[in-house]
Amino acid sequence: MNPHDLPGNVVPFSAEAESAVLGSMLLSPDRYDVAGAILEPKHFHDPRNAAIFQAIAVLVVACKAVDIFTVLDQLQKSGSEGSVDLLYLNELAQFSGSAGTVRHYAEIVAERAMMRGLIEAAQKARELATEAGLSVADRLNQCQDLFQQLQAKRGRNDPKAVSEMVAGMLDRIQALADGSMQPGISLALGGDGGIDLTTSTHGTALAIKGAGAAGAINMTTVNGAIILGTVKT
């Protein structure tokens, strides 16, 4: 069904797309780098799926194994397992696909979340239009704010420069520096980007390579301190 043809009383979401994203990450956790660049837990309509996505994110950032058992354990530790059990996680794990299909399904999940946000904003705008005690200018300003916030959320799902992605990786790099994470980890950005991590007695070195004019980013940790620099390619 075309999302633009949804009946007015139907909440737009895709159970299949949500399942496909989570199932693919359960089988290949490295695909979180693709889905995580597009999605946040709040984008999932099913609360169970939102909790599972968050649990996978926690495990990936901590460089821990990701499977149906570790995800359930993480959900139980955070008290957010709800109605999620091994049977449901195993059902999700049956949905698999390539890195390309993960991006496709993640974009569908994000699109449906945006549509739900649009419906919510429109409902609030309707309430503002009939609310007593507000001037026309106040009504228009508040309605404009609603849709600007929605546009800002959409912008956060646009492709990001490699340099903008560094902040989200600082925890991993610091973990390497203080020894709480094992060296030799290879991370994938997707596309033409790549990350190389090397460790020595002097510290940890990170090289992030991006396509085009973005160049490369070099990050080094020495005695727990993080040093960041850029190199044009």
Side-chain angles (χ1 to χ4, degrees), residues 38-156:
I38 300 172
L39 298 174
E40 299 176 24
K42 64 183 179 182
H43 289 132
F44 290 84
H45 179 259
D46 190 326
R48 297 176 300 174
N49 294 341
I52 292 170
F53 184 84
Q54 178 62 33
I56 292 175
V58 170
L59 292 171
V60 169
V61 169
C63 293
K64 295 182 178 179
V66 176
D67 55 45
I68 62 175
F69 301 104
T70 58
V71 169
L72 182 60
D73 180 64
Q74 177 60 38
L75 288 168
Q76 292 171 342
K77 287 179 179 178
S78 63
S80 56
E81 73 273 18
S83 58
V84 177
D85 55 19
L86 283 177
L87 179 61
Y88 182 67
L89 289 169
N90 188 56
E91 290 176 356
L92 288 177
Q94 306 311 307
F95 291 85
S96 61
S98 66
T101 59
V102 171
R103 178 176 295 279
H104 172 69
Y105 286 121
E107 289 173 347
I108 291 176
V109 173
E111 178 192 66
R112 301 301 169 87
M114 183 61 61
M115 292 172 64
R116 295 195 300 274
L118 181 59
I119 291 173
E120 182 180 355
Q123 291 173 338
K124 290 181 179 178
R126 181 177 180 179
E127 293 172 0
L128 285 169
T130 58
E131 185 174 337
L134 290 177
S135 67
V136 173
D138 287 340
R139 298 176 202 271
L140 290 174
N141 287 336
Q142 291 188 40
C143 288
Q144 185 178 14
D145 288 343
L146 287 172
F147 291 103
Q148 284 180 340
Q149 291 172 14
L150 198 62
Q151 184 64 32
K153 291 179 181 178
R154 178 185 180 186
R156 286 198 290 272

Side-chain angles (χ1 to χ4, degrees), residues 33 60 63 169 172-173 185-189 193-197 206:
D33 289 331
V60 169
C63 293
M169 302 175 188
R172 298 189 191 186
I173 306 306
I185 304 296
S186 176
L187 305 175
L189 286 176
I195 300 177
D196 295 322
L197 292 177
L206 167 70

Side-chain angles (χ1 to χ4, degrees), residues 216-233:
I217 297 172
N218 287 334
M219 181 184 294
T220 306
T221 62
V222 179
N223 296 327
I226 295 177
I227 304 171
L228 178 65
T230 60
V231 177
K232 297 205 175 206
T233 57

Side-chain angles (χ1 to χ4, degrees), residues 1-16 45 108-109 111-119:
M1 178 183 291
N2 189 311
H4 302 290
D5 297 331
L6 288 169
N9 61 342
V10 174
V11 176
F13 75 99
S14 172
E16 294 80 8
H45 179 259
I108 291 176
V109 173
E111 178 192 66
R112 301 301 169 87
M114 183 61 61
M115 292 172 64
R116 295 195 300 274
L118 181 59
I119 291 173

Side-chain angles (χ1 to χ4, degrees), residues 23-35:
S24 185
M25 290 192 298
L26 284 170
L27 294 178
S28 299
D30 59 317
R31 290 174 187 167
Y32 171 78
D33 289 331
V34 176

